Each structure stands twice: as structure tokens, then as C-alpha cells.
Amino acid sequence: MIKRLLVVLASASLLFISNARAETSPDTDLVLLTENFPPYNMAKNGKNFAQGDNINGIATDIVREMFQRAGLTYSLTLRFPWERVYKLALENPGYGAFVMARLPDRERLFKWVGPIGPDDWILLAKADSKITLDTLNDARKYKIGAYKGDAIAETLTKQGLKPVVVLRDQDNAKKLLNGQIDLWATGDPAGRYLARQDGVTGLKTVLRFNSAELYLALNKDVSDEVVNRLQTALDQLRKEGVVDEIMARYL
């Protein structure tokens, strides 16, 4: 009985080690993680887990071109939720996550390659909404929907606006139409793209309150040489118009 138990435990240990090796992909230069954040990155089947060629989007296509140009290899996995993606990239050497807003409180936590694309922060309302705003402070009296773990939600929370958060940003589009929230704090163009995918159109921007740039964030253990090779590759792609061509495919 004891011998059989030891065999079972040994088999389980080997399986665990095998799964861990698959996750860290030792045969690649970097392990890249992303999330469903259309039109920048998304699973082709719309689900919350995908790998490799089953992921597309503006940022995904740019990152693929960037790594090819830099002569580096990688594995790519789309996961859920974003908080897990962020934590894995922060804590694991050789990991990276995209696309991530480059904010002051994140600056020293990662090494950065970008910008990959813009992400203006806006407050959306229904087409027939009477809400008018001059500043973000004017929105305090309204119920604001946001995306858990996102930089926009974090910023609103720090400013005391107490957003109502969801695990998927696209859920806020229907919450807005159903009157569960008054305003939707999201990115532009991401928010409008997500709304259209759920059949929601005609939303209007009542405030544009920040302009952020989105990056590939790499664990601090990644060498400066790798970071510089990727940045040089991205700069070349932008200069040659490849970045604009990729964006035009989706927008």
C-alpha cells in the first residue's frame, strides 16, 4: 500500500513539474501574457483562454512583428482576469504582459517597450442621457461602471469616485443601457469596439479625462539588451508605417 502511494505521489509530482515547465516555456526568450481587450488583444473564439495563433488584435499583431524583427522567441497566452496577468508578469522573471498603461506608480515595477497604441480615458453615457460634465469631479454624484484591476478603475478609486467594477469591461455597455450605471469609464477606442461587439451603438462621450499610452511591460529581470532590441524593432516598424497598417485592419 505504501509503495503504491509513493508511486502515485511521484506521478503527481512529475505531472506538476511538467505543467509548470509548459507554463514557463523554457525554450523561449520570454513568456508573454495578455487578456481580452479588443481591439488591442483578443481570443479569436471570444473565450477567456487562448494561446499562440488563436489570439489576434492590434497589439498582438504589433508584438508578433516586433519579436520577429528583433530575432527573439516567445510564448503567448491570453488569460483571465487581468489581475492574474499583471501579478504573473510582476513576479516572474522572463515574463511580460501587454497592453499595459504606463503610469507613474507602475514605472519602477516593470521595464517598458512602446508605446504600442493610445488609450484615451473617457466617460460614456447613453445617447439620450442629459448628463453634462466639465471635470471628473462633476461625475461624483453618478454611478460609474469600470473594469476591475484596470488603470482607469484604480485611478477613479484613488480620487474617491468609488466605481462599480466588473470582471469584463464589455459588461458595462449593457449595464449602461439597462440603467444599472449612469456612466461607463473606459478606454477609447477599446470601449466603443467592445460595445459594438455586443450590439450596443450610439453611446456618447461626456468627458475625456486622460490620455494614456499602452505598452508591453516586462518583468524587471529581463535584460536591458532584450528590452533595447524590442524597442528598436518597434521604432523601425512605426517609421516604416507597419504600425499604422496594422491599426487600419481593425479600426
PDB file of all heavy atoms in Angstrom, residues 8 18 45 60 128 217 244:
ATOM      1  N   VAL A   8       2.076   6.855  -6.760  1.00  0.00           N
ATOM      2  CA  VAL A   8       1.055   7.848  -7.113  1.00  0.00           C
ATOM      3  C   VAL A   8       1.566   9.254  -6.867  1.00  0.00           C
ATOM      4  O   VAL A   8       1.402  10.162  -7.685  1.00  0.00           O
ATOM      5  CB  VAL A   8      -0.246   7.593  -6.311  1.00  0.00           C
ATOM      6  CG1 VAL A   8      -1.214   8.750  -6.522  1.00  0.00           C
ATOM      7  CG2 VAL A   8      -0.878   6.278  -6.739  1.00  0.00           C
ATOM      8  N   SER A  18       5.792  18.990 -15.037  1.00  0.00           N
ATOM      9  CA  SER A  18       5.563  19.102 -16.473  1.00  0.00           C
ATOM     10  C   SER A  18       4.681  20.293 -16.803  1.00  0.00           C
ATOM     11  O   SER A  18       4.953  21.058 -17.719  1.00  0.00           O
ATOM     12  CB  SER A  18       4.922  17.815 -16.995  1.00  0.00           C
ATOM     13  OG  SER A  18       4.583  17.938 -18.349  1.00  0.00           O
ATOM     14  N   ASN A  45     -11.799  33.005 -30.570  1.00  0.00           N
ATOM     15  CA  ASN A  45     -13.074  32.351 -30.271  1.00  0.00           C
ATOM     16  C   ASN A  45     -13.883  33.100 -29.209  1.00  0.00           C
ATOM     17  O   ASN A  45     -14.942  32.646 -28.795  1.00  0.00           O
ATOM     18  CB  ASN A  45     -12.851  30.904 -29.824  1.00  0.00           C
ATOM     19  CG  ASN A  45     -11.999  30.806 -28.564  1.00  0.00           C
ATOM     20  OD1 ASN A  45     -11.687  31.809 -27.916  1.00  0.00           O
ATOM     21  ND2 ASN A  45     -11.598  29.594 -28.217  1.00  0.00           N
ATOM     22  N   THR A  60      -1.418  42.548 -30.459  1.00  0.00           N
ATOM     23  CA  THR A  60      -0.887  41.206 -30.710  1.00  0.00           C
ATOM     24  C   THR A  60      -0.118  41.161 -32.023  1.00  0.00           C
ATOM     25  O   THR A  60       0.996  40.614 -32.089  1.00  0.00           O
ATOM     26  CB  THR A  60      -2.026  40.172 -30.733  1.00  0.00           C
ATOM     27  OG1 THR A  60      -2.756  40.250 -29.502  1.00  0.00           O
ATOM     28  CG2 THR A  60      -1.476  38.769 -30.894  1.00  0.00           C
ATOM     29  N   ASP A 128     -29.323  59.214 -25.157  1.00  0.00           N
ATOM     30  CA  ASP A 128     -30.343  60.174 -24.721  1.00  0.00           C
ATOM     31  C   ASP A 128     -30.064  60.729 -23.317  1.00  0.00           C
ATOM     32  O   ASP A 128     -30.917  61.393 -22.725  1.00  0.00           O
ATOM     33  CB  ASP A 128     -31.729  59.526 -24.750  1.00  0.00           C
ATOM     34  CG  ASP A 128     -31.812  58.296 -23.836  1.00  0.00           C
ATOM     35  OD1 ASP A 128     -30.765  57.889 -23.277  1.00  0.00           O
ATOM     36  OD2 ASP A 128     -32.914  57.740 -23.690  1.00  0.00           O
ATOM     37  N   ALA A 217       4.817  45.504 -20.973  1.00  0.00           N
ATOM     38  CA  ALA A 217       5.501  45.624 -19.687  1.00  0.00           C
ATOM     39  C   ALA A 217       6.244  44.320 -19.403  1.00  0.00           C
ATOM     40  O   ALA A 217       5.641  43.249 -19.402  1.00  0.00           O
ATOM     41  CB  ALA A 217       4.487  45.908 -18.580  1.00  0.00           C
ATOM     42  N   ASP A 244       0.844  51.648 -38.384  1.00  0.00           N
ATOM     43  CA  ASP A 244      -0.379  52.267 -38.910  1.00  0.00           C
ATOM     44  C   ASP A 244      -1.175  51.277 -39.759  1.00  0.00           C
ATOM     45  O   ASP A 244      -2.414  51.261 -39.720  1.00  0.00           O
ATOM     46  CB  ASP A 244      -0.031  53.506 -39.741  1.00  0.00           C
ATOM     47  CG  ASP A 244       0.461  54.659 -38.881  1.00  0.00           C
ATOM     48  OD1 ASP A 244       0.137  54.682 -37.674  1.00  0.00           O
ATOM     49  OD2 ASP A 244       1.162  55.539 -39.421  1.00  0.00           O
TER      50      ASP A 244
END
